Amino acid sequence: MTQQTREMQEKQETVEAPESAEPGCPPAPTPGLAQGWCALSALHSRIESHIERALQTHELSVREFSVLNVLSEQHDGPGGHLRMHQVADSVVLSQSATTRLVTRLEERGLLSRYLCPTDRRGIYTNVTPDGLALLVEARPTHDGALREALQDAAQRPELAPLVTAVETLVPPQ
């Protein structure tokens, strides 16, 4: 191998394996995708922990607030009630974790459960008047903490595009 060939090979190895890469680890096949996912995960974590701290004044967790919020949007009539698996999907929890969460909220008097009148296997959950009152009380705290977390994240160049995306989302009708 000539000296020139060796130098070219060394330059290629330097480009293919940057100094920041772990030794023995191949470079990520789609570094942009991985970086995007890391940024999205970081944004989510920052927002969730900021809201979590703020909701402590109402003795609510982010997940509890989410369940109360989702269930408060139920209505009478076809398609107006959610089964437990639908609640789990809405708040991105397993069915067992959702059941435990609903049980805790029920024990606090914030939710109540009842059997579906047309299908005795189905169990629905309603927000109680106390649960609605707590939700109404906590909503400004939640929304304010969300705005603060987004404003803070917008100052970070790697998160700013995601913040813009979140702020411009239009809910489906």
Side-chain angles (χ1 to χ4, degrees):
M1 188 182 290
T2 67
Q3 179 64 27
Q4 186 179 13
T5 306
R6 257 185 254 143
E7 288 173 5
M8 286 177 57
Q9 186 177 13
E10 286 172 7
K11 285 181 185 178
Q12 280 183 328
E13 288 171 359
T14 303
V15 170
E16 290 175 359
E19 292 176 19
S20 62
E22 288 288 325
C25 291
T30 53
L33 185 60
Q35 289 170 338
W37 168 244
C38 286
L40 181 59
S41 180
L43 179 63
H44 176 269
S45 295
R46 288 172 166 277
I47 291 171
E48 188 171 55
S49 62
H50 191 78
I51 294 172
E52 189 80 39
R53 285 189 301 274
L55 287 175
Q56 286 176 353
T57 61
H58 302 282
E59 297 181 8
L60 279 175
S61 70
V62 170
R63 297 288 189 194
E64 291 169 337
F65 179 90
S66 296
V67 166
L68 289 173
N69 188 55
V70 164
L71 291 174
S72 73
E73 296 171 357
Q74 293 186 135
H75 58 82
D76 290 329
H81 295 280
L82 299 176
R83 291 180 181 240
M84 292 299 285
H85 73 275
Q86 293 170 307
V87 175
D89 289 346
S90 296
V91 296
V92 193
L93 285 175
S94 68
Q95 284 190 17
S96 61
T98 302
T99 299
R100 288 190 302 272
L101 181 58
V102 165
T103 299
R104 284 195 308 271
L105 292 169
E106 188 177 33
E107 288 170 354
R108 290 174 56 191
L110 303 174
L111 296 178
S112 63
R113 286 188 256 199
Y114 64 95
L115 289 175
C116 172
T118 58
D119 179 0
R120 304 300 267 173
R121 296 170 297 169
I123 297 175
Y124 292 134
T125 305
N126 270 346
V127 181
T128 64
D130 287 347
L132 285 174
L134 182 57
L135 182 62
V136 167
E137 177 187 311
R139 189 175 307 283
T141 302
H142 174 276
D143 294 350
L146 175 58
R147 274 191 299 281
E148 289 171 6
L150 287 171
Q151 287 171 349
D152 180 53
Q155 303 306 309
R156 302 177 72 86
E158 70 276 15
L159 301 179
L162 293 171
V163 171
T164 300
V166 168
E167 292 174 335
T168 58
L169 283 175
V170 178
Q173 296 295 333

